[in-house]
Amino acid sequence: ENSIILSSGEERRIEWRNTLLRDEHGLVNSIFSAGVDVTELRQVLQALTESERSKTVLLSNLPGMAYRCKFDEQWTMDFVSKGCKALTGYDPEDLLGNRTISFADIIHPDDRFRVFQEISDTPALEAFTIEYRICQSTGDVRWVWERGNVVSGARAEDAMVEGFIIDITD
């Protein structure tokens, strides 16, 4: 890949795709080369990389846990921000895919059914807000405030929940 400057002065990124052409004995006798303009693709990839970096910095500085999980009874986590550790006492990796513990297991046993029911009863495309207790890895009980949305999938079983949870114990 390299840059070229057009007669207008505009710079473009060209990706070269090469193929060796061989004769009947298998010897290379020529090379076919085609240049493909990838300028817009590189710009989109750069913008995406910057957006991801920006979101990562933002989420790592929030005083709580951003998440994305399956809308199942275990709240199977697909994404958990670094704030998970301070909130729950568990590393984010412990919750991903229920590796060590499911988020449902962290919700206080007396609140589990209510939390699932209230989120299930939230009308489509509306945000939910709920308060409940969690049990940290140390056994301490903390009150949390959660706000999120159910995001529909192509099939009902593909539905996800995205949101943010903060400690409101104090």
Side-chain angles (χ1 to χ4, degrees):
E1 188 173 305
N2 67 304
S3 293
I4 63 169
I5 306 296
L6 302 179
S7 60
S8 65
E10 179 185 6
E11 181 178 352
R12 306 297 291 177
R13 294 294 299 171
I14 305 298
E15 178 180 284
W16 295 97
R17 299 178 184 172
N18 305 304
T19 300
L20 300 176
L21 302 176
R22 301 177 185 275
D23 64 18
E24 64 275 0
H25 304 292
L27 299 174
V28 175
N29 63 11
S30 58
I31 298 174
F32 177 76
S33 187
V36 178
D37 187 338
V38 294
T39 306
E40 284 81 18
L41 176 62
R42 295 296 175 250
Q43 290 168 343
V44 167
L45 289 174
Q46 183 177 2
L48 180 60
T49 299
E50 176 56 25
S51 175
E52 288 298 314
R53 185 204 61 76
S54 178
K55 280 190 282 188
T56 299
V57 169
L58 174 66
L59 291 175
S60 67
N61 287 305
L62 289 174
M65 179 179 98
Y67 69 90
R68 178 178 170 88
C69 69
K70 292 182 181 177
F71 193 0
D72 62 14
E73 290 185 5
Q74 297 302 308
W75 304 112
T76 304
M77 293 293 168
D78 183 53
F79 167 80
V80 182
S81 69
K82 291 180 182 180
C84 173
K85 179 74 172 178
L87 182 71
T88 68
Y90 293 97
D91 289 322
E93 296 77 24
D94 292 336
L95 274 73
L96 294 175
N98 305 326
R99 185 173 299 152
T100 302
I101 191 167
S102 72
F103 193 76
D105 292 334
I106 294 173
I107 297 173
H108 192 281
D110 294 341
D111 295 342
R112 285 182 193 147
F113 178 77
R114 178 179 60 82
V115 169
F116 191 81
Q117 198 60 50
E118 284 189 36
I119 294 173
S120 296
D121 290 346
T122 301
L125 305 176
E126 286 189 25
F128 63 84
T129 302
I130 188 169
E131 294 177 11
Y132 57 93
R133 293 165 292 175
I134 63 168
C135 301
Q136 294 181 314
S137 64
T138 60
D140 292 341
V141 174
R142 308 296 292 176
W143 278 94
V144 297
W145 176 89
E146 178 177 350
R147 181 161 177 96
N149 287 85
V150 176
V151 180
S152 299
R155 302 172 300 173
E157 60 267 21
D158 294 335
M160 302 293 280
V161 180
E162 297 175 332
F164 185 69
I165 304 170
I166 59 172
D167 187 334
I168 60 167
T169 304
D170 293 339

